[in-house]
Amino acid sequence: MQFIVKGKASGKIVKSLEITRDDFELNLMDFLLRNSIPVASSCAGVGICKKCTTASGLLSCSLALYDYINLFGATIEFDYL
Ligand code: FES
């Protein structure tokens, strides 16, 4: 399964990531960081800085990759990419 990362600023697909079974154990932020997608953070994923917010308004550090895909599908969009 592929996970598509889109940039709102660029209007392009930034990356297409292969999702492995182990990735479903990760939160969205950790999955993106492991795949070299920059995610802003000043609280290291504690959930208080709100810098990791996605274009859909969710905190990527507080949402499991599996849950994100079930809610929104395998595509994510970031304002700053
Ligand atoms: S990394 Fe700070 S709220 Fe998500």
Side-chain angles (χ1 to χ4, degrees):
M1 175 185 236
Q2 295 291 310
F3 190 83
I4 306 299
V5 180
K6 290 182 175 177
K8 252 187 171 174
S10 66
K12 295 180 179 175
I13 293 176
V14 176
K15 216 167 194 182
S16 179
L17 308 171
E18 181 68 32
I19 301 173
T20 67
R21 186 174 293 200
D22 291 342
D23 290 331
F24 286 113
E25 306 288 325
L26 301 172
N27 67 41
L28 180 58
M29 184 170 116
D30 288 341
F31 171 72
L32 293 168
L33 290 174
R34 282 187 184 193
N35 286 283
S36 303
I37 302 297
V39 179
S41 169
S42 63
C43 75
V46 175
I48 57 174
C49 75
K50 313 258 187 277
K51 291 184 175 180
C52 68
T53 305
T54 67
S56 54
L58 300 168
L59 297 181
S60 63
C61 69
S62 299
L63 186 64
L65 175 64
Y66 179 83
D67 292 337
Y68 179 88
I69 291 171
N70 280 331
L71 288 169
F72 301 103
T75 300
I76 192 165
E77 193 170 50
F78 285 100
D79 293 336
Y80 54 87
L81 292 177

